[in-house]
Amino acid sequence: MQGYGTNVRGLGEARGLKEVAREHALLPLRIFLGVTFVYAGLDKLTDSSFFRASGPGSIGETLHAVRDSSAVPALVDLALKSPGAFGYAIALGELAVGLGTFFGLWTRLAALGGALISLSLWLTVSWQVSPYYLGNDLAYLMAWLPLVLGGASAFSVDALLATRRRRIR
């Protein structure tokens, strides 16, 4: 049956290619961001020099280097009070966001966390990058927004839980 150019299908009928593509449109982005943030978190957690207050490759050295060129120096000052703790917060946050995004568990919340991490890194670490499009944190921030808005409809724990809730009703 057709109405206003939209196919209305009964249960068990094949779905159109556009419908399948729409349902899976955010899956490549979700996989990319999930894997990237898991990798970023694990990379930090396995780098013993990252959590130090000073020295090559340390979070403290990075924070000191960007402090004066940051859009929000007060945020950098706050992180400099305990660079190691801030480093662990970022690393564990990236890991949690990455896993949630990859598996599609609380996807919108995970994506919001990823967007906030990317926003904070853009306003602090990569704010001085000129021209702005050479800095990757702003691009990551924009990449998170479709997942904040759309969530995960395909191949996700969220979809599995939603299906289970519908069956129970």
Side-chain angles (χ1 to χ4, degrees):
M1 171 173 161
Q2 290 207 344
Y4 302 103
T6 305
N7 289 332
V8 179
R9 302 185 195 295
L11 293 175
E13 291 186 36
R15 295 183 302 159
L17 184 59
K18 283 185 182 180
E19 187 179 331
V20 172
R22 190 176 302 117
E23 182 180 332
H24 294 84
L26 294 178
L27 186 59
L29 184 60
R30 204 179 96 215
I31 292 169
F32 170 75
L33 290 171
V35 167
T36 300
F37 268 57
V38 166
Y39 178 76
L42 290 176
D43 189 43
K44 288 172 182 67
L45 289 170
T46 58
D47 180 359
S48 60
S49 64
F50 177 75
F51 299 103
R52 294 187 183 141
S54 62
S58 69
I59 184 71
E61 179 181 277
T62 301
L63 292 169
H64 282 291
V66 302
R67 196 252 175 237
D68 292 334
S69 61
S70 167
V72 189
L75 185 60
V76 178
D77 290 339
L78 181 63
L80 279 168
K81 289 183 179 188
S82 183
F86 178 74
Y88 276 107
I90 290 291
L92 294 173
E94 287 174 336
L95 188 59
V97 161
L99 289 171
T101 302
F102 183 81
F103 290 108
L105 177 61
W106 300 324
T107 308
R108 285 188 170 105
L109 181 61
L112 180 61
L116 291 173
I117 289 170
S118 296
L119 176 63
S120 67
L121 293 174
W122 175 54
L123 291 173
T124 55
V125 177
S126 61
W127 181 256
Q128 76 283 358
V129 174
S130 181
Y132 77 91
Y133 55 81
L134 294 177
N136 64 350
D137 294 314
L138 180 58
Y140 278 110
L141 171 60
M142 294 300 124
W144 284 112
L145 296 181
L147 289 173
V148 170
L149 297 171
S153 61
F155 300 108
S156 68
V157 175
D158 290 345
L160 179 68
L161 294 174
T163 301
R164 217 180 247 178
R165 282 191 298 269
R166 282 191 297 272
R167 286 183 188 157
I168 293 172
R169 290 181 191 168

